[in-house]
Amino acid sequence: MASQTALVMRLLASAYAVAEKAGTIVRRVLHSGDLGIVEKTGANDLQTLADRLVQKSICASLSKSFPKITIIGEEDLPSEAAEEDLIETGMYDVILRKPCPEKYSILKEEELVVWVDPLDGTKEYTEGLLDHVTVLIGIAYRGKAIAGVINQPFYNYQMGADVTLGRTLWGMLGLGAFGFQLQDVPDGKRIVTTTRSHSNKLVIDAVQAMEPHDVIRVGGAGNKIIQLVEGKASAYVFASPGCKKWDTCAPEAILHAVGGNGPIRLIMFKRISIGCICNIQLITVDKNLDTHPCENRHPLTHNVLVREASKKWLNFESVCKLSCVCNFFQR
């Protein structure tokens, strides 16, 4: 069946299987008791053995099956062959049986870019906040996230010894999002999720301007997006530099995929290039907006824009649920 399936569906099915293996690696490293922690740029920017092994596993596995695809991972690792036990060549059969959206049915390997965050929420991983941790694999075409996989290695870890650890969420534009139950925030509640460990005055001001009933501070971009789609938060606000494409590609695809077959209305993302650094990430929830207030504005003015947007546009009186993740990129 796989040989007759559209390439992008085979890639997504492979990414799902690879993400499942990645979750196993993340758990194995934790249970070994030796996380192999190193600081990259400081105490809030860590790398562990799990980061290194997972990225090696994902890149080697996908490269073996799809040699012409560009794969970009967060970690700067030396080029070396991956051990055989890190390689995953399986594909998730459920995805292979899904119909491919027509506009993606003839895509070629060399047209696709895979963005990999091997361990989103590394700091939380080292601190034992295991429900914050995710593995992110996003698929982009012409600078746009079109499909993504989010693995939660420790989902259900607080439910006792008899439960199955881990789950994998996935989605594709034009097809839908799967692996979770879409939920609404309780009526009348304005709940914001934001950064746990990378806050600053601008982030605090943007959050406070929204006058939320509650603020959930957690680690990991993938984890925050899960908070949204499962109805634990109304909006994700991170008005600060820091997010990269490997943080946002998979979650963006799942958000758009949910918008295609559910109650969430999405506003278009502003993109300048697939190979850029994200200067600002802001999620709004105003159902009356046809374009984002920051759209077509220079990213270096993001401090002023976020203050303006927070006060003028992020008015929860007209909330339907979630409108967008707005990513500004600069080379």
Side-chain angles (χ1 to χ4, degrees):
M1 176 191 291
S3 62
Q4 300 174 354
T5 305
L7 175 111
V8 70
M9 299 303 290
R10 289 188 281 116
L11 175 59
L12 183 55
S14 181
Y16 185 103
V18 170
E20 291 264 292
K21 186 175 188 68
T24 300
I25 295 171
V26 171
R27 292 189 293 269
R28 187 178 70 210
V29 170
L30 181 72
H31 296 153
S32 75
D34 182 9
L35 298 185
I37 301 170
V38 297
E39 290 188 7
K40 294 193 290 185
T41 62
N44 285 332
D45 187 17
L46 304 177
Q47 182 192 92
T48 68
L49 177 61
D51 291 87
R52 298 186 288 274
L53 290 178
V54 168
Q55 180 161 309
K56 184 186 289 188
S57 172
I58 294 173
C59 293
S61 298
L62 294 181
S63 293
K64 183 173 182 177
S65 299
F66 307 94
K68 296 181 181 179
I69 285 178
T70 299
I71 304 173
I72 303 173
E74 176 181 5
E75 308 304 337
D76 185 13
L77 302 178
S79 297
E80 57 185 19
E83 295 81 355
E84 192 62 32
D85 65 342
L86 295 178
I87 303 295
E88 174 60 62
T89 58
M91 296 183 183
Y92 185 43
D93 188 57
V94 170
I95 295 177
L96 294 177
R97 293 197 301 267
K98 295 284 186 181
C100 180
E102 184 177 355
K103 63 181 175 179
Y104 304 131
S105 62
I106 59 172
L107 296 184
K108 301 176 182 178
E109 287 189 29
E110 53 267 34
E111 295 178 300
L112 298 172
V113 177
V114 176
W115 293 88
V116 176
D117 190 337
L119 191 63
D120 188 39
T122 298
K123 188 172 188 295
E124 286 71 26
Y125 180 64
T126 67
E127 296 172 352
L129 299 173
L130 302 180
D131 50 336
H132 296 217
V133 175
T134 59
V135 176
L136 307 177
I137 305 176
I139 301 171
Y141 169 61
R142 292 185 175 177
K144 179 180 180 180
I146 64 169
V149 175
I150 300 176
N151 178 269
Q152 281 187 291
F154 299 101
Y155 178 72
N156 272 343
Y157 86 103
Q158 294 175 316
M159 301 300 291
D162 296 331
V163 301
T164 300
L165 278 181
R167 67 169 173 173
T168 301
L169 296 69
W170 67 277
M172 184 176 186
L173 274 64
L175 185 60
F178 308 89
F180 63 94
Q181 183 67 46
L182 184 64
Q183 299 283 347
D184 289 323
V185 176
D187 288 345
K189 290 293 185 180
R190 304 190 297 273
I191 305 172
V192 170
T193 184
T194 189
T195 181
R196 171 181 173 267
S197 56
H198 299 283
S199 192
N200 55 42
K201 187 178 186 301
L202 179 59
V203 173
I204 293 170
D205 287 348
V207 170
Q208 290 179 344
M210 299 173 75
E211 300 182 355
H213 292 107
D214 193 14
V215 178
I216 303 172
R217 293 179 172 84
V218 294
N223 180 38
K224 295 182 186 72
I225 296 307
I226 293 172
Q227 303 285 317
L228 293 175
V229 298
E230 294 194 323
K232 297 175 183 176
S234 315
Y236 165 21
V237 178
F238 183 42
S240 175
C243 282
K244 310 297 192 296
K245 197 64 179 180
W246 44 71
D247 295 305
T248 62
C249 188
E252 175 183 336
I254 290 174
L255 282 173
H256 275 282
V258 168
N261 67 345
I264 296 177
R265 178 179 180 274
L266 296 171
I267 295 174
M268 291 302 294
F269 285 65
K270 172 66 177 176
R271 302 177 189 80
I272 295 175
S273 171
I274 190 74
C276 302
I277 295 176
C278 180
N279 268 352
I280 161 180
Q281 185 173 55
L282 174 67
I283 293 180
T284 86
V285 289
D286 194 325
K287 67 181 179 182
N288 296 318
L289 289 180
D290 291 323
T291 58
H292 195 277
C294 301
E295 195 168 38
N296 298 321
R297 303 287 290 278
H298 195 282
L300 296 184
T301 63
H302 70 274
N303 285 11
V304 174
L305 291 172
V306 169
R307 292 192 183 97
E308 291 177 353
S310 297
K311 294 175 181 177
K312 186 174 181 180
W313 279 280
L314 299 190
N315 179 354
F316 278 82
E317 297 302 317
S318 58
V319 166
C320 59
K321 183 170 167 58
L322 166 69
S323 286
C324 74
V325 180
C326 179
N327 294 320
F328 284 79
F329 299 98
Q330 181 189 19
R331 285 191 182 276

